[in-house]
Amino acid sequence: MFCSNCGEKIEDSSSFCKNCGAKITNNDKTERVQLKCKECGGVMTADSSNKTLHCPYCGSDEVIVYGDAVEVERIKNDTYKEMEYKKWERADEKERKKEKEKADEAYRKSGFGIVAIIGAIVSALFLIGSYSINRWGNVVVTAIQLLLFVASVFIRKDIIKCSNRGIPALLTTIGLLLIIPFLILSK
């Protein structure tokens, strides 16, 4: 491996560069390739993940040719990394699923789901009644209530996507509070 500060070759077990004294980090511990430039003779250094080297002195590029063993090892490492990422993604998905199930259970226990469904049914009935007797203030309030209750149920059932699981309870609460203007307008 090579020092990222000065480019000096260092031992794998080193904590500091013997040339410049820079602390060796995990970034320095990647495998490095060092070749002489065919054009100017300068030293080119790059990560082993690069397929080409660029000479900082004359600007020429050179393709790095690895043996079969190096290519096999590179493929193994890439495959391992992909498998690890997939494992992390599955673990994250499991965690999200658990959180959703937990939120759904809390919502069921709170009773907001049942209140939202009953509220939607009652609002629909009052909407029809208010419309038939031409009470337009009540029609508007009841239509808003109905939309809030239905949206609450649809969000909880994932028909409408929403990342915040507290929104359905909030919509149901607002729908219930709209009973007050409905009663005032009914007088």
Side-chain angles (χ1 to χ4, degrees):
M1 75 183 173
F2 298 89
C3 175
S4 61
N5 189 43
C6 69
E8 181 74 22
K9 185 173 172 104
I10 52 178
E11 299 295 321
D12 289 341
S13 60
S14 296
S15 297
F16 295 93
C17 176
K18 64 182 177 194
N19 185 45
C20 69
K23 184 172 178 164
I24 306 303
T25 63
N26 284 340
N27 296 339
D28 296 323
K29 295 189 179 185
T30 58
E31 185 180 336
R32 301 279 177 136
V33 175
Q34 195 174 36
L35 296 173
K36 272 192 171 183
C37 176
K38 291 178 182 174
E39 300 293 319
C40 70
V43 177
M44 300 182 293
T45 304
D47 291 355
S48 62
S49 61
N50 292 345
K51 300 259 184 207
T52 60
L53 287 173
H54 180 75
C55 180
Y57 306 106
C58 69
S60 68
D61 291 326
E62 190 170 329
V63 177
I64 302 171
V65 180
Y66 294 105
D68 288 341
V70 172
E71 283 300 320
V72 167
E73 193 62 34
R74 180 177 296 171
I75 291 169
K76 281 182 185 178
N77 286 338
D78 290 346
T79 304
Y80 176 75
K81 287 177 189 174
E82 275 185 52
M83 289 171 43
E84 283 298 310
Y85 289 139
K86 295 287 184 191
K87 189 179 356 176
W88 292 337
E89 286 174 359
R90 284 192 303 271
D92 287 347
E93 183 60 34
K94 243 185 212 181
E95 187 65 30
R96 281 192 295 274
K97 191 174 180 181
K98 266 186 198 175
E99 288 174 9
K100 184 184 179 311
E101 288 172 357
K102 196 175 179 181
D104 288 344
E105 182 64 27
Y107 184 75
R108 277 192 293 278
K109 285 182 179 178
S110 71
F112 276 107
I114 294 170
V115 170
I117 292 170
I118 292 171
I121 293 167
V122 171
S123 294
L125 294 174
F126 276 119
L127 181 64
I128 293 167
S130 296
Y131 181 76
S132 65
I133 59 173
N134 291 327
R135 292 200 164 199
W136 296 108
N138 284 357
V139 168
V140 171
V141 171
T142 309
I144 293 170
Q145 273 183 312
L146 179 61
L147 288 173
L148 290 169
F149 289 135
V150 169
S152 174
V153 172
F154 282 4
I155 290 171
R156 183 48 55 195
K157 298 292 182 185
D158 277 338
I159 296 169
I160 298 174
K161 300 293 181 201
C162 180
S163 60
N164 188 337
R165 290 293 169 186
I167 295 294
L170 178 66
L171 294 176
T172 302
T173 303
I174 293 170
L176 289 172
L177 290 174
L178 284 176
I179 292 173
I180 297 167
F182 178 83
L183 294 174
I184 292 171
L185 292 170
S186 295
K187 291 181 181 181

